[in-house]
Structure formats: structure tokens, C-alpha cells
Amino acid sequence: MPRWKPNYKEGDWIALPLIRRGGWGLGLIARCKAPTIIGYFFGPRWTEPPTIAATTGLRRESALIVADLGDLGFRKGEWLVVGHQPNWNRADWPLPLFAAEDGPRLYLCTLQEEDPSELVQHQRITQEEADRLGAIPRVVYGYKALSITLDKLLAEREAQTAA
């Protein structure tokens, strides 16, 4: 069986189908080493796969979610690369600090820049420290779980806008 070669790279903008309510989401691959991806994901919901033009003006601060995920969506041919970020610069899209729960304990997780599946640091911290450092919850998403989560966040935003 031939080995699968990734068709994505760091700095690529991607479109992913939204499972529950339909449409497409948009994301940026900030770090990757197959099969692990760290990505920033944005609204709005698109009726068709967005184009690279849809990425104009998007910044990390406007991401709805920053996710640690696998690449099965690409392997199954369901996710699409829509283009590469012009003048890609890692510093503009840093790896976040993640906070992972293990029962009642909370840990600060720092991932390796070149291989985001590698944990560099796993240090016990308090919720107050996590908040002060801007650590976000670490959830490792499957491709369908990410689609459902992004779909839900977009639906909540759409409901707020409609109200």
C-alpha cells in the first residue's frame, strides 16, 4: 500500500465541511507535522468552500477556536487547501499555550515548534496562572469533532447576530 503524502503545509488556508448545519468553515494551519496540525479556525459560515480572498484581513485574534487536531479530513479528501498565506510568518500565528485537565489537576502544555505532537513542557499550574498566561484549553480534536464544534460556535454567533 503506498504511503500517503500530506497535501498541506504550514501557512495553508483550508476549508472544512460543517456537518450539522451545513456549509463550510475556514482555518489556517499554523504548525504541522503529519498527522498533527495546530490550526486557527474562523467564521463566518460559508455556503461554498471559501477562496483565498476570504482570508484577507483575518488575524489570529479573530479566531473562534485554536485546535490541536489530526489530518484525517485531508486523508479522506473532505478538507481542501484553498491557498497559502501570502508572506507567511510563524511569528504572526504563534503556537498557543495550552492548559490540559487531568482530573482535578491542570497542566500547562508547551508544544514543540517543529513537531506539535511533541510535548516540550507539562507543568502543573493553577487556573489563575493559566488565565494570567492566556493558556487555552487543550482538546485534541478528530476531524468530525472539530467540524461539529466549529459549526456550533458559528451557530451561536449567528443566533446572537439575528437577535
Side-chain angles (χ1 to χ4, degrees):
M1 184 171 176
R3 187 175 172 165
W4 184 78
K5 183 177 179 187
N7 59 342
Y8 60 85
K9 63 186 177 295
E10 186 176 299
D12 280 348
W13 287 96
I14 63 172
L16 60 149
L18 301 173
I19 296 171
R20 295 280 162 94
R21 293 165 192 86
W24 291 81
L26 178 65
L28 176 84
I29 298 174
R31 301 293 184 283
C32 63
K33 183 174 180 184
T36 302
I37 296 171
I38 304 295
Y40 288 79
F41 294 87
F42 303 85
R45 180 186 312 274
W46 298 86
T47 55
E48 299 292 327
T51 65
I52 193 68
T55 69
T56 303
L58 291 178
R59 300 172 44 92
R60 70 177 186 252
E61 297 83 9
S62 58
L64 295 176
I65 187 172
V66 181
D68 183 343
L69 59 139
D71 68 1
L72 193 55
F74 284 115
R75 290 176 183 262
K76 290 187 166 253
E78 295 178 25
W79 291 1
L80 311 171
V81 173
V82 299
H84 192 73
Q85 172 70 20
N87 304 313
W88 168 249
N89 183 350
R90 276 184 162 189
D92 295 335
W93 303 90
L95 268 175
L97 291 173
F98 287 106
E101 291 183 16
D102 183 9
R105 296 181 184 99
L106 190 63
Y107 292 90
L108 181 66
C109 299
T110 307
L111 304 179
Q112 208 261 353
E113 287 280 338
E114 301 306 320
D115 183 355
S117 69
E118 294 291 325
L119 196 57
V120 174
Q121 182 182 28
H122 190 249
Q123 172 186 342
R124 190 161 178 196
I125 59 172
T126 65
Q127 184 62 56
E128 293 75 24
E129 290 170 317
D131 293 342
R132 184 176 46 78
L133 293 169
I136 61 173
R138 183 174 188 206
V139 178
V140 180
Y141 291 90
Y143 80 107
K144 287 189 177 184
L146 175 64
S147 172
I148 292 166
T149 301
L150 184 57
D151 195 342
K152 179 182 176 203
L153 291 170
L154 289 170
E156 289 169 359
R157 178 181 272 188
E158 292 158 357
Q160 289 174 352
T161 303

